Amino acid sequence: MTAGLFLSILGACSNSEDEAAELVEAQKLIDDQLIQNYLSKNNINATKSYSGLYYVIIDEGEEGNDYPTSDATVTLEYKGYFLDGEVFENLGDREEAFVIGLWQLVDGIKEGVQLIKRGGEIQLFIPSHLGYGNNDQGIIPANSVMVYEIKLIDFE
């Protein structure tokens, strides 16, 4: 391969990576505005984290308890829905608790669950870059903002 062709290919990769990064940044701004509009419309006072996650701690959980870490196995009840209220998942109605490695969940849930203790409850407003990004995931379309209401039953 000649040096010119190699540099040409390298430049093309760089440009497409730059374009992809620009699209992600643009989507972050769109998602942030959608979340802010939702919070304002519904009179919700949420905190925004460094990552762009918005959250409301409903109940911090048992006093004196530790917080789960990203490598914890957690037992959860949760409901996930879109900003229009359409529920796409409800694990609070199950007979058996939902047990999963926290590392297996989307970044927004992973980050949010670490903010509460055993028995705690949190509401998360997850921008798409902390969810499934620009990929469809089953019934969840690409670039979707998701809302989760989560109760942390237990963790180890």
Side-chain angles (χ1 to χ4, degrees), residues 136-153:
D136 291 332
Q137 182 66 32
I139 62 170
I140 302 172
N143 298 316
S144 290
V145 172
M146 301 179 294
V147 181
Y148 279 89
E149 296 173 4
I150 299 174
K151 181 171 185 177
L152 177 60
I153 306 298

mmCIF file of all heavy atoms in Angstrom, residues 136-153:
data_model
loop_
_atom_site.group_PDB
_atom_site.id
_atom_site.type_symbol
_atom_site.label_atom_id
_atom_site.label_comp_id
_atom_site.label_asym_id
_atom_site.label_seq_id
_atom_site.Cartn_x
_atom_site.Cartn_y
_atom_site.Cartn_z
ATOM 1 N N ASP A 136 -31.254 0.446 17.971
ATOM 2 C CA ASP A 136 -32.540 -0.077 18.406
ATOM 3 C C ASP A 136 -32.266 -1.246 19.349
ATOM 4 O O ASP A 136 -31.323 -2.015 19.138
ATOM 5 C CB ASP A 136 -33.354 -0.602 17.215
ATOM 6 C CG ASP A 136 -33.829 0.500 16.284
ATOM 7 O OD1 ASP A 136 -34.012 1.635 16.744
ATOM 8 O OD2 ASP A 136 -34.013 0.213 15.090
ATOM 9 N N GLN A 137 -33.086 -1.365 20.399
ATOM 10 C CA GLN A 137 -32.960 -2.492 21.320
ATOM 11 C C GLN A 137 -34.360 -3.037 21.560
ATOM 12 O O GLN A 137 -35.081 -2.554 22.428
ATOM 13 C CB GLN A 137 -32.304 -2.033 22.628
ATOM 14 C CG GLN A 137 -32.080 -3.125 23.636
ATOM 15 C CD GLN A 137 -31.057 -4.148 23.175
ATOM 16 O OE1 GLN A 137 -30.117 -3.837 22.465
ATOM 17 N NE2 GLN A 137 -31.238 -5.386 23.579
ATOM 18 N N GLY A 138 -34.737 -4.032 20.755
ATOM 19 C CA GLY A 138 -36.091 -4.576 20.861
ATOM 20 C C GLY A 138 -37.113 -3.490 20.554
ATOM 21 O O GLY A 138 -37.060 -2.864 19.502
ATOM 22 N N ILE A 139 -38.004 -3.228 21.523
ATOM 23 C CA ILE A 139 -39.043 -2.212 21.315
ATOM 24 C C ILE A 139 -38.559 -0.794 21.631
ATOM 25 O O ILE A 139 -39.317 0.160 21.505
ATOM 26 C CB ILE A 139 -40.304 -2.524 22.145
ATOM 27 C CG1 ILE A 139 -39.989 -2.518 23.646
ATOM 28 C CG2 ILE A 139 -40.928 -3.839 21.705
ATOM 29 C CD1 ILE A 139 -41.213 -2.587 24.525
ATOM 30 N N ILE A 140 -37.305 -0.665 22.032
ATOM 31 C CA ILE A 140 -36.749 0.654 22.345
ATOM 32 C C ILE A 140 -36.027 1.187 21.113
ATOM 33 O O ILE A 140 -35.006 0.637 20.694
ATOM 34 C CB ILE A 140 -35.790 0.579 23.552
ATOM 35 C CG1 ILE A 140 -36.536 0.025 24.760
ATOM 36 C CG2 ILE A 140 -35.184 1.959 23.842
ATOM 37 C CD1 ILE A 140 -35.664 -0.282 25.949
ATOM 38 N N PRO A 141 -36.550 2.266 20.517
ATOM 39 C CA PRO A 141 -35.919 2.819 19.319
ATOM 40 C C PRO A 141 -34.570 3.481 19.627
ATOM 41 O O PRO A 141 -34.302 3.881 20.755
ATOM 42 C CB PRO A 141 -36.920 3.873 18.835
ATOM 43 C CG PRO A 141 -38.171 3.643 19.594
ATOM 44 C CD PRO A 141 -37.793 2.943 20.853
ATOM 45 N N ALA A 142 -33.764 3.606 18.612
ATOM 46 C CA ALA A 142 -32.483 4.304 18.732
ATOM 47 C C ALA A 142 -32.715 5.722 19.260
ATOM 48 O O ALA A 142 -33.760 6.314 19.021
ATOM 49 C CB ALA A 142 -31.794 4.361 17.371
ATOM 50 N N ASN A 143 -31.739 6.227 19.987
ATOM 51 C CA ASN A 143 -31.748 7.599 20.528
ATOM 52 C C ASN A 143 -32.939 7.884 21.431
ATOM 53 O O ASN A 143 -33.429 9.012 21.471
ATOM 54 C CB ASN A 143 -31.662 8.621 19.398
ATOM 55 C CG ASN A 143 -30.373 8.491 18.627
ATOM 56 O OD1 ASN A 143 -29.304 8.337 19.206
ATOM 57 N ND2 ASN A 143 -30.457 8.527 17.309
ATOM 58 N N SER A 144 -33.370 6.886 22.183
ATOM 59 C CA SER A 144 -34.502 7.071 23.096
ATOM 60 C C SER A 144 -34.034 7.509 24.474
ATOM 61 O O SER A 144 -33.095 6.954 25.036
ATOM 62 C CB SER A 144 -35.276 5.755 23.269
ATOM 63 O OG SER A 144 -35.962 5.428 22.100
ATOM 64 N N VAL A 145 -34.732 8.511 25.011
ATOM 65 C CA VAL A 145 -34.586 8.870 26.417
ATOM 66 C C VAL A 145 -35.493 7.908 27.182
ATOM 67 O O VAL A 145 -36.641 7.684 26.794
ATOM 68 C CB VAL A 145 -35.013 10.328 26.671
ATOM 69 C CG1 VAL A 145 -35.052 10.628 28.163
ATOM 70 C CG2 VAL A 145 -34.080 11.288 25.948
ATOM 71 N N MET A 146 -34.966 7.334 28.256
ATOM 72 C CA MET A 146 -35.737 6.381 29.040
ATOM 73 C C MET A 146 -35.858 6.874 30.484
ATOM 74 O O MET A 146 -34.950 7.512 31.004
ATOM 75 C CB MET A 146 -35.056 5.015 29.035
ATOM 76 C CG MET A 146 -34.872 4.417 27.653
ATOM 77 S SD MET A 146 -34.034 2.803 27.661
ATOM 78 C CE MET A 146 -32.388 3.260 28.241
ATOM 79 N N VAL A 147 -36.984 6.546 31.104
ATOM 80 C CA VAL A 147 -37.208 6.850 32.508
ATOM 81 C C VAL A 147 -37.346 5.520 33.232
ATOM 82 O O VAL A 147 -38.044 4.617 32.755
ATOM 83 C CB VAL A 147 -38.484 7.693 32.716
ATOM 84 C CG1 VAL A 147 -38.679 8.025 34.189
ATOM 85 C CG2 VAL A 147 -38.453 8.952 31.861
ATOM 86 N N TYR A 148 -36.668 5.406 34.355
ATOM 87 C CA TYR A 148 -36.767 4.196 35.175
ATOM 88 C C TYR A 148 -37.111 4.573 36.604
ATOM 89 O O TYR A 148 -36.557 5.533 37.153
ATOM 90 C CB TYR A 148 -35.441 3.426 35.193
ATOM 91 C CG TYR A 148 -35.223 2.555 33.991
ATOM 92 C CD1 TYR A 148 -34.617 3.054 32.859
ATOM 93 C CD2 TYR A 148 -35.613 1.217 33.992
ATOM 94 C CE1 TYR A 148 -34.402 2.257 31.749
ATOM 95 C CE2 TYR A 148 -35.407 0.410 32.890
ATOM 96 C CZ TYR A 148 -34.800 0.939 31.775
ATOM 97 O OH TYR A 148 -34.598 0.137 30.676
ATOM 98 N N GLU A 149 -38.018 3.816 37.188
ATOM 99 C CA GLU A 149 -38.297 3.874 38.617
ATOM 100 C C GLU A 149 -37.757 2.566 39.177
ATOM 101 O O GLU A 149 -38.213 1.489 38.788
ATOM 102 C CB GLU A 149 -39.793 4.001 38.863
ATOM 103 C CG GLU A 149 -40.361 5.292 38.332
ATOM 104 C CD GLU A 149 -41.887 5.372 38.409
ATOM 105 O OE1 GLU A 149 -42.518 4.438 38.962
ATOM 106 O OE2 GLU A 149 -42.423 6.360 37.901
ATOM 107 N N ILE A 150 -36.775 2.664 40.073
ATOM 108 C CA ILE A 150 -36.045 1.477 40.531
ATOM 109 C C ILE A 150 -36.071 1.383 42.044
ATOM 110 O O ILE A 150 -35.868 2.378 42.738
ATOM 111 C CB ILE A 150 -34.580 1.525 40.049
ATOM 112 C CG1 ILE A 150 -34.516 1.537 38.524
ATOM 113 C CG2 ILE A 150 -33.780 0.356 40.625
ATOM 114 C CD1 ILE A 150 -33.131 1.718 37.952
ATOM 115 N N LYS A 151 -36.291 0.182 42.547
ATOM 116 C CA LYS A 151 -36.136 -0.117 43.967
ATOM 117 C C LYS A 151 -35.036 -1.153 44.091
ATOM 118 O O LYS A 151 -35.091 -2.208 43.449
ATOM 119 C CB LYS A 151 -37.431 -0.648 44.578
ATOM 120 C CG LYS A 151 -37.276 -0.945 46.061
ATOM 121 C CD LYS A 151 -38.574 -1.264 46.738
ATOM 122 C CE LYS A 151 -38.321 -1.414 48.229
ATOM 123 N NZ LYS A 151 -39.567 -1.654 48.950
ATOM 124 N N LEU A 152 -34.024 -0.835 44.891
ATOM 125 C CA LEU A 152 -32.912 -1.759 45.139
ATOM 126 C C LEU A 152 -33.282 -2.631 46.338
ATOM 127 O O LEU A 152 -33.258 -2.180 47.481
ATOM 128 C CB LEU A 152 -31.618 -0.975 45.416
ATOM 129 C CG LEU A 152 -30.396 -1.787 45.766
ATOM 130 C CD1 LEU A 152 -30.012 -2.757 44.655
ATOM 131 C CD2 LEU A 152 -29.223 -0.862 46.092
ATOM 132 N N ILE A 153 -33.649 -3.868 46.068
ATOM 133 C CA ILE A 153 -34.067 -4.796 47.109
ATOM 134 C C ILE A 153 -32.854 -5.272 47.911
ATOM 135 O O ILE A 153 -32.855 -5.277 49.139
ATOM 136 C CB ILE A 153 -34.808 -6.027 46.510
ATOM 137 C CG1 ILE A 153 -35.963 -5.583 45.616
ATOM 138 C CG2 ILE A 153 -35.250 -6.985 47.606
ATOM 139 C CD1 ILE A 153 -37.045 -4.791 46.298
#
